[in-house]
Amino acid sequence: MKKKINLQFLIMSVTAIILTLVISTLVSYEVLKDEVMEDLHTYARVLVETGAFSDMDHISYDAKEDGLRVTVIAEDGSVEYDSNANASDMDNHEKRPEIEAAIESGEGSTIRRSSTLERSMFYYAVRLDNGNVLRVAKESDNVLSIMSSTFPLLLGLAVVLFAVGALFSHLLTKSIVAPVEQMANDMDHLESIRVYKELRPFITTIQKQHEDIRKNADMRQEFTANVSHELKTPLTSISGYSELIESGMATDEDVVRFAGEIHQNANRLLTLINDIIRLSELDVSTQEVVYEQLDLYAMAEKCVDMLQVNAENHDVTLQLSGKSAYVNANREMMNELLYNLCDNAIRYNKKGGRVDVSVEETDTEVVLSVKDTGIGISKEHQERIFERFYRVDRSRSKLTGGTGLGLAIVKHIVAQHHANLELESEKDAGTQIRVRFLK
């Protein structure tokens, strides 16, 4: 970026130098032209007043001494006298622009190439009292010749200006890029870096992204540690029980009991691995999610029917209320959402408790509600309940077989469907989770 900015400044400097030199040359030429014309006007008036060309037979003025060319033209355009050429050999000058203007208005001037001398000339003509026209001329260099004569000076000036421009360009580029380089080298202390106000929104965005990246990195690190811990526990149990059986130290009754423990921990391990895989798929899924119009009430009804046996085993009453309501959603994700919410409500309930599932529809949204009369969640835990592997009561989670990933999966699915998730809970009084789907 620094090289690009520096190059752009140098291009601007070169362009400015060239334009300045060209404009200066043109302005100088205009000033020169005005001065020469003013000089010719003065010479002509002096010659008229002194009567140097009143008598063509006795001309006393030598125009060459002043570097001039003097020509006298008769009324019919014929040349009577020319200080630089033979008058008899010259063409009729009646149609020369300065002669026409002098005959009509008394004076005329022009800059053109002389057909007689083949040179660029300044001309000034004035009409005499006898009707003749006195013309005074001076050779003029054109713009290119002026530039060529001053080229060494202009080139030296351009080099100096370019060097100064390059120096200032480097310093200016360095000062512009300095805050960005500081930010790149010290992302943790962006607030202490003095930058332009135009960069403040950019810095705010960078800070937020940096914090998000660091937060995600911490979450991934914590997730990895939790996964290792969660996998290690059932694997340790399986390894321990199988080792006792393998060594022959266990009795026949112990073998049956150990086999049951191994089976239970293997199932817990499979459930945990499946939840981890599903959560990873939701995190980085590159597959296109297929949405369709689904009857959320009908899906909730199937989920409640499927979990009735599980609810009875936990001595929990599971009921559904509401009416048909359609949402634009992914079928597999909706099944997971319903299952995880209902399963959690059953697992963390009390003996003889209830789980009420309802689906309601308003003009603007469809609301899924799962309410239980379970152990509830205290205020300090409610903000973190949807984090991965976060458990309010780890001992109870171990007894119920919970993985600590169910609500994390729910949160991902809700975010995927741009819905809103609400939690109301009170310790020992139950929990209610609502998912609001916009229509």
Side-chain angles (χ1 to χ4, degrees):
M1 185 176 81
K2 187 185 291 186
K3 289 183 178 179
K4 188 174 182 180
I5 294 175
N6 201 20
L7 179 61
Q8 289 177 343
F9 276 132
L10 288 177
I11 292 174
M12 290 173 59
S13 298
V14 171
T15 304
I17 290 170
I18 293 174
L19 288 175
T20 300
L21 294 177
V22 171
I23 293 172
S24 298
T25 302
L26 293 175
V27 170
S28 298
Y29 178 74
E30 289 297 320
V31 172
L32 173 64
K33 183 182 71 173
D34 292 341
E35 289 181 354
V36 172
M37 283 298 184
E38 185 63 30
D39 288 344
L40 292 179
H41 181 273
T42 302
Y43 278 119
R45 289 302 175 190
V46 170
L47 293 176
V48 171
E49 291 175 2
T50 58
F53 291 90
S54 299
D55 186 357
M56 300 304 300
D57 295 328
H58 299 87
I59 298 175
S60 59
Y61 175 68
D62 186 0
K64 292 182 179 180
E65 290 183 359
D66 292 325
L68 300 175
R69 176 190 176 192
V70 179
T71 309
V72 179
I73 299 97
E75 288 185 74
D76 60 358
S78 61
V79 179
E80 295 187 359
Y81 171 81
D82 191 285
S83 60
N84 288 36
N86 189 350
S88 60
D89 296 334
M90 298 173 66
D91 296 335
N92 189 286
H93 279 39
E94 184 180 11
K95 297 301 181 182
R96 299 293 194 272
E98 69 278 7
I99 304 302
E100 286 186 318
I103 292 174
E104 290 181 7
S105 60
E107 62 177 356
S109 61
T110 189
I111 303 171
R112 60 179 179 79
R113 188 171 182 79
S114 171
S115 57
T116 304
L117 301 180
E118 296 295 327
R119 296 173 187 172
S120 182
M121 304 287 289
F122 287 96
Y123 292 104
Y124 177 77
V126 60
R127 189 178 60 206
L128 301 177
D129 293 338
N130 59 9
N132 291 342
V133 175
L134 173 66
R135 187 183 68 182
V136 183
K138 192 169 188 177
E139 187 175 342
S140 169
D141 292 328
N142 55 30
V143 174
L144 292 177
S145 65
I146 293 174
M147 290 184 65
S148 63
S149 64
T150 59
F151 182 76
L153 177 62
L154 294 177
L155 181 62
L157 179 61
V159 171
V160 171
L161 290 175
F162 179 78
V164 173
L167 176 62
F168 277 103
S169 173
H170 175 72
L171 296 176
L172 187 58
T173 301
K174 188 175 180 180
S175 66
I176 291 175
V177 177
V180 180
E181 292 180 335
Q182 284 181 287
M183 287 189 291
N185 295 329
D186 191 6
M187 294 292 292
D188 294 324
H189 302 90
L190 293 178
E191 66 281 351
S192 63
I193 299 174
R194 297 182 62 185
V195 296
Y196 322 108
K197 63 179 181 180
E198 291 82 3
L199 284 179
R200 278 296 166 193
F202 172 72
I203 291 178
T204 302
T205 303
I206 291 294
Q207 280 180 311
K208 186 176 179 182
Q209 290 178 346
H210 183 59
E211 289 172 1
D212 289 343
I213 290 171
R214 188 162 54 185
K215 183 178 178 181
N216 288 335
D218 292 340
M219 288 177 60
R220 288 183 182 279
Q221 187 175 4
E222 183 181 359
F223 178 67
T224 302
N226 287 332
V227 167
S228 301
H229 175 74
E230 295 291 337
L231 292 176
K232 184 178 180 180
T233 302
L235 284 173
T236 300
S237 297
I238 292 171
S239 176
Y241 287 128
S242 61
E243 186 178 355
L244 289 173
I245 295 173
E246 183 184 27
S247 66
M249 295 175 61
T251 64
D252 291 343
E253 293 180 359
D254 288 336
V255 168
V256 175
R257 182 167 61 86
F258 291 168
E261 291 290 340
I262 290 173
H263 183 254
Q264 182 180 349
N265 280 283
N267 285 337
R268 172 173 167 75
L269 195 60
L270 286 172
T271 302
L272 185 61
I273 291 172
N274 287 332
D275 282 350
I276 292 172
I277 291 173
R278 183 53 183 154
L279 200 55
S280 298
E281 288 175 350
L282 290 172
D283 273 339
V284 297
S285 178
T286 56
Q287 296 181 352
E288 184 179 355
V289 179
V290 178
Y291 294 92
E292 55 183 308
Q293 288 294 315
L294 302 174
D295 186 346
L296 191 59
Y297 180 84
M299 296 184 72
E301 190 174 31
K302 290 181 181 179
C303 181
V304 168
D305 290 342
M306 180 178 64
L307 289 172
Q308 281 295 350
V309 174
N310 186 27
E312 291 173 4
N313 290 337
H314 285 80
D315 192 17
V316 172
T317 302
L318 179 61
Q319 289 187 337
L320 173 67
S321 63
K323 59 181 181 179
S324 292
Y326 286 85
V327 294
N328 188 38
N330 176 266
R331 184 178 295 276
E332 181 182 357
M333 289 186 183
M334 284 300 99
N335 283 327
E336 287 181 278
L337 175 75
L338 289 163
Y339 178 86
N340 280 310
L341 288 176
C342 294
D343 184 60
N344 248 40
I346 295 170
R347 285 179 187 273
Y348 297 99
N349 217 313
K350 300 174 182 177
K351 294 288 185 179
R354 291 175 55 85
V355 175
D356 294 312
V357 182
S358 67
V359 177
E360 302 293 340
E361 183 177 17
T362 68
D363 293 338
T364 59
E365 60 185 6
V366 174
V367 182
L368 167 67
S369 172
V370 179
K371 184 178 181 180
D372 64 63
T373 58
I375 60 174
I377 306 166
S378 57
K379 294 292 184 182
E380 65 268 20
H381 295 290
Q382 289 182 15
E383 290 185 0
R384 300 191 61 190
I385 196 64
F386 294 99
E387 293 180 11
R388 304 170 188 191
F389 293 114
Y390 188 82
R391 298 184 181 92
V392 175
D393 187 343
R394 289 188 174 272
S395 60
R396 184 179 179 92
S397 296
K398 187 174 182 180
L399 290 174
T400 60
T403 64
L405 294 174
L407 291 182
I409 293 174
V410 166
K411 183 179 178 181
H412 270 273
I413 293 174
V414 169
Q416 181 75 42
H417 288 78
H418 305 290
N420 294 317
L421 187 62
E422 296 177 356
L423 170 69
E424 291 182 9
S425 185
E426 187 176 342
K427 189 173 177 60
D428 296 325
T431 300
Q432 182 175 13
I433 295 178
R434 297 188 190 89
V435 182
R436 298 183 180 274
F437 297 91
L438 297 176
K439 297 176 71 173

